[in-house]
Amino acid sequence: MKRIIAPSVLSADFGQLRHDIEMIDRSAAEWVHIDVMDGVFVPNISFGFPVMKPIRRATSKVLDVHLMITDPERYTARFVEAGADIVTFHYEATMDIRGCIASIRGAGAKVGISIKPATSPEVLRDILPSVDLVLVMSVEPGFGGQSFMPAAVDKVRMLDKMKREAGLDTIIEVDGGISAANSRLLFDAGAEALVAGSSVFGAADPAEAIDRMLKA
Ligand code: DX5
Ligand code: ZN
C-alpha cells in the first residue's frame, strides 16, 4: 500500500506562494493538492487557472486538483492543460459524470471523483472501474481548518472492500482535518493519499509535520 501526503495549497501563504511550494517540493510529500472553489458548489471562492502556473513552475510533484465547482465538465480539460496530473470532481456537482471522466482522460490526466460527507460510497460502485481515485471528504468542502469527521474512516473501509472485490487498484484519498493524530487510522483503513492543509502549513516545521503523518 502506498502512503502519500498531499499538502493543500489553500493553507499556504499566498504572499510567498513560490517559497511555500518549493518547501513542499523538498519534503517527503509526493503530491500538491490544489483546491478550486467557485462560490456556488461551496460557500467560498479560492482561486483558478492563474495560480496553477506558478505552482507548476515551482515543483515537479504530482499536481492533484480538487474541483469544488458546479458543472465541472466545463473546465476539466483546461485544468489538465494548466498542469494538473490528477483532476478530481464532485459526484454531487454534475449531471454528466461520464462526460467529466472522458474530458479529463482525453486531456491526458488521471481521474478522481469525490463524495461529500452526506454521500454514501455505494453511489460509486458502478463508477469505480472508470476512475483512478476516489476522494472521501472528511469535512464539508469549502474551508480549511475544520475538524475531522470520524465517519470518513468507515467510508474508506467500505471503498477499500468494494475495490478489492472488483479487483481494482483505485487510490482512496481523504481530505479534511487530517494530521498525525489520525493519519495512521486512515492509512490502516485503506487510504493511500491524505490531504493536509492547516496541519502542514500551520506547523513550525512543515516537512517534519509531513514526516510525522507518514510515520504515524
Ligand atoms: C476543503 C478542502 C481541503 C482543505 C483541507 O474544502 O478540500 O483540501 O484545504 O484543509 P485542512 O487540512 O486544514 O482541513
Ligand atoms: Zn481538497
Side-chain angles (χ1 to χ4, degrees):
M1 293 281 289
K2 290 187 273 265
R3 280 188 168 207
I4 295 165
I5 299 294
S8 168
V9 173
L10 193 63
S11 293
D13 179 346
F14 283 75
Q16 49 162 14
L17 185 59
R18 182 174 172 168
H19 166 274
D20 280 12
I21 301 298
E22 285 173 350
M23 180 172 72
I24 298 308
D25 195 61
R26 291 188 300 270
S27 79
E30 291 180 49
W31 295 0
V32 176
H33 186 81
I34 300 174
D35 288 300
V36 178
M37 305 178 186
D38 67 352
V40 179
F41 181 67
V42 290
N44 197 11
I45 299 177
S46 56
F47 47 76
F49 302 114
V51 179
M52 293 287 296
K53 263 192 206 153
I55 297 175
R56 183 71 289 175
R57 273 199 300 265
T59 182
S60 53
K61 304 242 164 166
V62 170
L63 297 192
D64 171 38
V65 173
H66 176 194
L67 297 180
M68 285 161 275
I69 65 175
T70 298
D71 300 335
E73 59 277 7
R74 294 177 297 172
Y75 297 108
T76 36
R78 277 185 65 191
F79 277 99
V80 181
E81 285 156 24
D85 297 294
I86 304 166
V87 177
T88 296
F89 62 94
H90 267 268
Y91 172 84
E92 306 86 356
T94 178
M95 300 293 286
D96 187 13
I97 287 175
R98 296 286 157 197
C100 285
I101 295 172
S103 76
I104 298 166
R105 244 190 239 305
K110 290 200 168 149
V111 179
I113 189 161
S114 182
I115 49 171
K116 298 210 283 184
T119 305
S120 164
E122 269 308 318
V123 302
L124 299 179
R125 196 174 280 277
D126 294 339
I127 303 164
L128 221 50
S130 312
V131 299
D132 303 292
L133 176 148
V134 172
L135 176 61
V136 174
M137 289 308 299
S138 43
V139 297
E140 284 299 338
F143 301 90
Q146 304 179 73
S147 299
F148 180 76
M149 299 166 90
V153 181
D154 272 336
K155 285 190 174 183
V156 172
R157 291 196 185 106
M158 284 169 71
L159 284 163
D160 186 55
K161 186 163 176 274
M162 214 186 273
K163 81 178 216 196
R164 281 170 198 281
E165 282 169 0
L168 299 167
D169 58 3
T170 324
I171 295 172
I172 302 173
E173 183 178 30
V174 189
D175 184 2
I178 295 171
S179 69
N182 50 24
S183 60
R184 168 97 191 256
L185 182 66
L186 291 164
F187 282 135
D188 286 352
E192 290 184 294
L194 303 181
V195 178
S198 42
S199 70
V200 168
F201 290 101
D205 184 344
E208 195 235 314
I210 291 164
D211 287 341
R212 274 197 291 132
M213 275 185 268
L214 285 168
K215 288 171 191 149

